[in-house]
Amino acid sequence: MRDRIVVGNWKMNKDFEETEKMLTQLKSYSKPSGAKIMIAPSFTQLYQSVQSLKSTNIYVAAQNIGIAESGAYTGEVSPKMLKGVGVNTVIIGHSERRNIFQENDNFLTKKIKIALESDIMVIFCLGEKLEDRISKNHFEIVSQQLKKTIFNLSYKSMTNIILAYEPVWAIGTGETATAAQAQEMHFYIRNLISSHFNSKIADNISILYGGSVKPENAKEIFSESDVDGGLIGGASLNAEDFMKIANSF
Ligand code: PEP
């Protein structure tokens, strides 16, 4: 049975004080038994978050990772640095990294590989833009994103991959894919994985949906058979909303 996972991507939000407040609030809510919960604060708040959540079942992920183990990469953070502060999961390929920071599939594959080599679990994001959906090219775009990245990995590596389907037109826009649209794409992705790797890997991989998930729509989206949870942006900045979403299975 694959894991159900809800991840809060805080993006470039919450400084030290705000993180302290948020962590206290998160710890005050009852934890869902049915899902694994993770938060992804900024690099500067990772150690603080790991320490604070130590005796809870809320895990801490990073939002990014460098492309090498060490060296002349100004501004980057290595896998060893993440592991050193107790972080064992990283988000790679978020559409903001792809679009604002021009990270392409080739570059993202380097990040995936360096993370996996250090035993860091990868939450890999993929999804089409609005123009791709309008031109009905969305399946082809997602298929190409998989072929250029995840399909270059070994069978064994796949146990450390979580996928997040995030249609770009639904991220931070208030517009959500319908539960049927999410299910249709998740089913498509799982079939591609089954054809490229095998059905066992496809059955075991968690595929999260991301794009304006809120307490009001989470239950419907998570009830789809191929949706194994969510990657939550805006709504993860409010502890009550985030925990409601995490309890929506
Ligand atoms: C995201 O950034 O991954 C995301 C899904 O954002 P939002 O929930 O705000 O649409």
Side-chain angles (χ1 to χ4, degrees):
M1 191 59 197
R2 49 188 180 256
D3 287 335
R4 288 170 151 183
I5 306 165
V6 173
V7 186
N9 175 13
W10 291 5
K11 311 191 182 186
M12 199 173 69
N13 292 295
K14 298 199 186 288
D15 61 13
F16 183 89
E17 293 292 329
E18 291 158 341
T19 299
E20 280 301 285
K21 199 169 156 211
M22 181 74 176
L23 293 168
T24 305
Q25 288 171 350
L26 284 173
K27 286 189 280 189
S28 73
Y29 288 100
S30 63
K31 314 299 174 310
S33 54
K36 191 169 175 181
I37 311 181
M38 287 187 208
I39 56 163
S42 300
F43 283 134
T44 48
Q45 266 52 68
L46 289 175
Y47 181 70
Q48 174 191 9
S49 302
V50 169
Q51 291 302 312
S52 171
L53 297 172
K54 237 177 192 164
S55 55
T56 73
N57 57 359
I58 303 177
Y59 299 86
V60 180
Q63 298 174 20
N64 195 10
I65 193 166
I67 56 161
E69 279 177 22
S70 64
Y73 297 95
T74 302
E76 294 298 293
V77 170
S78 75
K80 189 167 169 236
M81 291 167 186
L82 293 180
K83 292 201 84 168
V85 293
V87 171
N88 296 303
T89 310
V90 64
I91 299 171
I92 295 178
H94 191 280
S95 64
E96 286 149 19
R97 299 300 317 172
R98 290 175 186 265
N99 298 327
I100 304 171
F101 301 99
Q102 312 294 316
E103 294 186 0
N104 62 26
D105 285 322
N106 188 25
F107 188 70
L108 294 172
T109 305
K110 287 187 191 168
K111 291 191 175 194
I112 296 171
K113 287 187 173 167
I114 198 90
L116 293 175
E117 276 165 23
S118 298
D119 250 335
I120 293 180
M121 173 85 84
V122 171
I123 301 169
F124 185 66
C125 307
L126 68 170
E128 81 284 359
K129 292 183 180 165
L130 182 60
E131 59 259 35
D132 306 318
R133 171 80 44 179
I134 290 171
S135 61
K136 301 198 185 336
N137 222 11
H138 45 297
F139 290 116
E140 182 53 25
I141 293 290
V142 167
S143 161
Q144 286 302 321
Q145 287 172 340
L146 281 170
K147 280 181 192 150
K148 290 179 187 161
T149 57
I150 296 298
F151 284 5
N152 295 306
L153 303 178
S154 68
Y155 283 49
K156 194 166 156 270
S157 301
M158 290 303 288
T159 52
N160 280 324
I161 299 285
I162 296 163
L163 293 178
Y165 168 59
E166 300 208 301
V168 180
W169 47 273
I171 297 178
T173 59
E175 185 147 350
T176 320
T178 62
Q181 284 173 323
Q183 168 59 24
E184 183 184 41
M185 184 59 89
H186 285 221
F187 180 74
Y188 176 74
I189 292 170
R190 206 177 296 286
N191 272 336
L192 287 181
I193 290 172
S194 182
S195 309
H196 181 81
F197 293 100
N198 58 44
S199 59
K200 188 167 175 232
I201 289 175
D203 285 344
N204 288 332
I205 194 163
S206 298
I207 309 179
L208 317 184
Y209 168 79
S212 300
V213 176
K214 302 175 204 67
E216 302 79 52
N217 59 22
K219 220 180 193 91
E220 194 188 348
I221 296 170
F222 294 171
S223 68
E224 294 292 344
S225 57
D226 286 292
V227 178
D228 306 309
L231 179 52
I232 321 298
S236 74
L237 299 176
N238 176 292
E240 188 180 0
D241 285 352
F242 182 61
M243 294 312 278
K244 272 189 192 154
I245 293 170
N247 272 296
S248 295
F249 290 94

